[in-house]
Amino acid sequence: MQYVAYYRVSTKRQGESGLGLDAQRAIVRHFAGNAVLASYVDIASGKSMVNRAQLHLALEHCRRLKAGLVVAKADRLSRNVQDALSILDSLGGRLVCCDCPGTDRFTLTILFALAERERELISIRTRSALEAKRRREGRQKINGREKGADLSVARAAARLMREKKALERAQAPASYAEKWLARGCSLADIARQLNELGHVFPTPSGRGCWSACQVARALRRWEAEKNASRAPRMRERFGVGDSYKEKYIQWLPKYKIFVDSIEEIC
């Protein structure tokens, strides 16, 4: 069997170092050898499939060529049991995890459940560490907010995060829609295909079905992000490019540990 390889790391720092990706590539190369047709890389959390455009492209590549999807470890595919099993079913069982090759659906379900539980434990440990740090520094929280906190700063941070997530949610369906639009499909046809892949491409709100109008909005939003012709407030304030996070943290130094801890939750 021929394979399409998929690699994932959780944070930008891991992606820049390349160590985690190199280790995954070595494992897949040892298992599949020259049978790998293409490879795709995501730098994203395994909690959800929503913001993982390269995973969607890898799955479509597998379906088009009737190839198998190969990952170095089960948790590199997903840390969500439902998402992982939906991928397994959509590929007709053509999924190989190099750390447990030749396993059946029952064994894979157990591995996916362990990966999800590990993600939950990471989240619990991170929250506990932040709470311990807050108590050590003598800070208090009242009704979920730190005593004396500047709420205007917190609201601005929340607004910017919502804008960032909206752009990320538009990326995967818009890249899929762009390809089918180039093939001559109408917006209504693309909306119908997205609805058929609802577990892979949920609507921006997570509820309801795709419509031609929603597809057009997603395309416009993503095109504006790529061309920076209609830059959102986040880019106007902090600039463009990979330096966004550093400028964001300079503006909100008190939230640096929060931003770093969220990135570590995979």
Side-chain angles (χ1 to χ4, degrees), residues 195-239:
N195 288 326
E196 292 175 357
L197 299 171
H199 66 285
V200 177
F201 298 113
T203 60
S205 65
R207 303 183 299 273
C209 299
W210 284 95
S211 65
C213 183
Q214 285 177 309
V215 173
R217 277 201 299 266
L219 285 169
R220 284 198 301 269
R221 178 177 291 156
W222 185 237
E223 190 65 26
E225 168 67 9
K226 290 194 301 182
N227 298 332
S229 59
R230 187 167 55 88
R233 288 191 300 273
M234 184 194 317
R235 285 181 175 265
E236 290 176 348
R237 184 170 299 175
F238 302 120

Side-chain angles (χ1 to χ4, degrees), residues 2 4-5 21 31 35 62 81 140 158 161 168 171 180 218 238 241:
Q2 293 181 315
V4 172
L21 292 174
F31 176 84
C62 290
V81 177
Q140 300 180 17
M161 189 60 68
E168 291 174 346
Q171 179 181 1
W180 286 100
F238 302 120

Side-chain angles (χ1 to χ4, degrees), residues 4-8 38-42 54-55 57-58 61 64:
V4 172
Y6 176 72
Y7 310 110
R8 182 184 69 82
S39 61
Y40 296 85
V41 179
D42 265 327
Q54 294 301 306
L55 174 59
L57 295 176
H61 199 156
R64 187 172 67 251

